[in-house]
Amino acid sequence: MNLDALWESRRLFELGFLFTLRLTVITVVTSTVLGLLVALVRISRVPVLSQLMRVYLEVFRGSPLLIQILFVYFGAAFLSTSGGLSVLTAVTIALTLYQGAYISEVFRAGFESVPPGQREAARALGMSRFAIMVDVITPQTFTVVLAPLFGQYISLVKSTALASVIGYADLVRQAQGIIDRIGSPFLVYSVVALLYFVISFPMSLGARYFETRTSRRGPVTA
Amino acid sequence: MTYLDYLPNFFSGLAVTAAVSGLAFALALALGVLAAVARQWGSVVPRAIATTYIEVIRNTPVLVQIFLVYFGLPAFGLRLPAFAAGVLALAVNGGAYLAEIIRAGFRAVPRGQVEAARTLDLGRRQTLLDVVLPQALRLVYPPVVNELVQMILATSLLSTIALNELTGETLIANAITFQTMQVFTAALVLYLVLTGLVSWGARWLGRVAFHPPLDVRGIRRQAPLRRFSFGRTS
């Protein structure tokens, strides 16, 4: 019976789940840092760098993640003499660049939601640029940023599935191996979908919570 | 052999990409309207079905959904070719996101608008068609266009079920010519051109079709509206 075979494969599901989780945790951190940096560059209007960031956003939001992953992975192998990047490194780079582009827009929207009067008032009080950013602007963006940021993390979890295409041993990859052994693709992929749901749905609820909290309190007004 | 010999293949891949996304998007719109209506105004059973559909689809990867349709459905006697499986999977996926966009759009029209219309003795039908719908459409249009762009990008995943759309053709060209940088750059540029054209066209349509003109400044650049775009991007 196939359910028995499925249960026997639980170790492989577990391994895949852990690999998916590992990639998710790594890229949540890296893409958030990248997104924040890009947003800061864009709102502070650093001359050449700002325009470069616009190009970066256009390219990474206007092309498919799969192409970006393949580009990084095969491109690195093509350019290097020593075999290129490991699968995990390649997929981390591609996912970070891709999600970082979207996350930077979330942060930028957050920064722009703070009324200019706040900055002016802080400057009138003689605060330094750095102190204004850290103590005045950033705390006020939290309520606006949290819900869409969580939304983007949900997208990130799901997009880690593409890592399987270049051979990262995540849930989808393990599922392919399990199907090769026991068959029943519908059953196996349903289990995989369920496992992603287990990670993603609580995050959706979290995002919804932040969203209702924000809309109840309303965005910060001057 | 250079990658330039593969240019015709790139363009045929691009045509497949455009065809799949167009078809899937049309189907997704229909599904989205249906699911939105069922979730917002339906009775208990349709609402439960619509809610389950929307939440399950939005919380699982589109790649797994594609595999379920292509590799999983044959278990139920439905053996779809790659093109049909791709259209079906992307339509079902996009429908869930569009449903939430449409629902949010209708909910965002202030209640006072409906009440005012009723006070002016407009019928239910007129209230919906002449008061609520035009306002909801303005709100819904930008995220719907964004959804179309996301769908175009998602078609690249269909290369994993051996559909020779743009990414599939790129992989073939790469395997044969080994000119990795040129091949992938060409694909990247073609995707950028396609998504760029779509958002440019949508911006133009927004200016022409809406009164007053809807200025969708950089639809793709627009920060994701809350509740409109949860976890979008495949």
Side-chain angles (χ1 to χ4, degrees), chain B residues 16 81 128 183:
Chain B
V16 176
L128 180 67
V183 166

Coordinates of all heavy atoms in Angstrom, one line a residue, chain B residues 16 81 128 183:
Chain B
V16 N 5.5 31.4 -27.1 CA 4.9 30.4 -26.2 C 4.6 31.1 -24.9 O 3.5 30.9 -24.3 CB 5.7 29.1 -26.1 CG1 5.1 28.2 -25.1 CG2 5.9 28.5 -27.4
P81 N -1.2 17.6 -21.8 CA 0.1 17.9 -22.4 C 0.6 19.2 -21.6 O -0.1 19.9 -20.9 CB -0.3 18.3 -23.8 CG -1.7 18.6 -23.9 CD -2.3 17.8 -22.8
L128 N -24.7 49.1 -7.9 CA -23.5 48.3 -8.2 C -22.7 48.7 -9.4 O -21.5 49.0 -9.4 CB -23.9 46.8 -8.3 CG -22.7 45.8 -8.6 CD1 -21.8 45.8 -7.3 CD2 -23.3 44.4 -8.9
V183 N 23.7 33.6 -23.7 CA 22.4 33.0 -23.8 C 21.4 33.6 -22.7 O 20.3 34.0 -23.0 CB 22.5 31.5 -23.7 CG1 21.2 30.9 -23.4 CG2 23.1 30.9 -25.0

